[in-house]
Amino acid sequence: MSQVVFAARNRAESGSAEARRTRKEGRIPAVVYGRTGKALSIDLDALEFINSVRGISESTIVTINVDGQAHEAFVKDTQRNITDGQILHVDFYEVERGVSLRAKVSVHVHGNPVGVREGGILESPLHDIEVECLPKDLPERIDVDIAELKVNQSIHVRDLKLGEGVRLISNPDQVVALVKFAKAETETAAEGEAAVAETAEVKDTKEPAKDAKA
């Protein structure tokens, strides 16, 4: 995926009234936060942002051009109107070349596991991991091929290929995907139903004896 570039303007004034005026112009108020805590107030073309931001993840680095100066950043937070879904404000977090950062990278599993075709059930509880690396080494996403996963087999975070220069922060023992054997669960459920039925039969045989005594 080619890097997304936004053309932005400096926003000298702040406050709710100014933000409303900006939105009426078809633009979105935004702030670019830096590692040192400094913040740059900007605004973006709303239609350009909406069209460009689709499909990018939290670990996608975008470029923001502000009056001829380029800033590389993540889209950290997007605030929306709960009524109509309109984007009200965007927070960016600027990254610095040559300075390591920590970020969450999305994990995508793909493929039809062998174990599922044999009757197993696929579980993929993990959706992202945290890593540390230089901005240039940050993967946009991690794809995991699970086609060869058999019944009672699993893939853990430690099994992921992260690439050179990328250090894992998340727990390496976390499960990315596993295939459970559905038959064992079915047999357990059947045994439970049989036990309940047996208890009911015993109860039925005892109740007539009580009536006779009465």
Side-chain angles (χ1 to χ4, degrees):
M1 179 179 178
S2 59
Q3 190 168 35
V4 175
V5 180
F6 296 115
R9 304 183 311 194
N10 265 308
R11 186 162 51 97
E13 299 182 26
S14 59
S16 57
E18 177 61 25
R20 284 193 296 269
R21 282 195 293 270
T22 300
R23 295 184 192 107
K24 286 182 179 179
E25 294 176 1
R27 302 186 68 82
I28 303 172
V31 174
V32 182
Y33 294 98
R35 187 171 60 90
T36 59
K38 293 182 179 180
L40 174 65
S41 296
I42 61 173
D43 61 53
L44 309 156
D45 182 88
L47 187 58
E48 179 190 25
F49 180 81
I50 292 170
N51 290 336
S52 300
V53 80
R54 290 172 183 163
I56 72 172
S57 67
E58 189 178 340
S59 60
T60 303
I61 297 177
V62 303
T63 298
I64 309 166
N65 286 326
V66 186
D67 297 336
Q69 186 175 3
H71 303 264
E72 291 188 324
F74 299 118
V75 179
K76 200 64 178 175
D77 185 46
T78 303
Q79 300 172 21
R80 293 179 179 268
N81 186 314
I82 59 173
T83 304
D84 58 14
Q86 178 188 7
I87 298 176
L88 302 177
H89 191 275
V90 180
D91 287 338
F92 294 94
Y93 182 80
E94 188 171 11
V95 300
E96 299 178 53
R97 291 181 181 272
V99 178
S100 293
L101 56 85
R102 287 191 178 189
K104 288 185 177 181
V105 180
S106 58
V107 176
H108 294 255
V109 299
H110 61 88
N112 184 17
V114 173
V116 171
R117 298 198 298 271
E118 293 175 347
I121 297 175
L122 173 67
E123 292 187 2
S124 52
L126 191 68
H127 302 293
D128 56 56
I129 61 171
E130 187 176 12
V131 300
E132 182 178 50
C133 61
L134 294 174
K136 68 179 182 65
D137 297 325
L138 183 65
E140 188 172 327
R141 56 187 270 176
I142 298 173
D143 291 304
V144 184
D145 186 356
I146 59 173
E148 299 302 319
L149 203 60
K150 298 179 180 179
V151 173
N152 293 329
Q153 287 187 343
S154 59
I155 297 175
H156 296 81
V157 169
R158 61 176 173 269
D159 302 318
L160 301 179
K161 297 179 180 179
L162 301 181
E164 188 176 354
V166 182
R167 186 171 73 89
L168 179 67
I169 301 298
S170 295
N171 184 347
D173 295 327
Q174 287 181 286
V175 174
V176 175
L178 75 156
V179 176
K180 298 172 64 176
F181 197 39
K183 184 178 179 181
E185 296 179 354
T186 304
E187 289 176 350
T188 301
E191 290 173 359
E193 292 174 358
V196 171
E198 184 178 351
T199 302
E201 290 177 0
V202 172
K203 183 177 180 181
D204 289 340
T205 56
K206 289 181 178 181
E207 285 181 353
K210 291 181 180 179
D211 293 339
K213 184 177 180 180

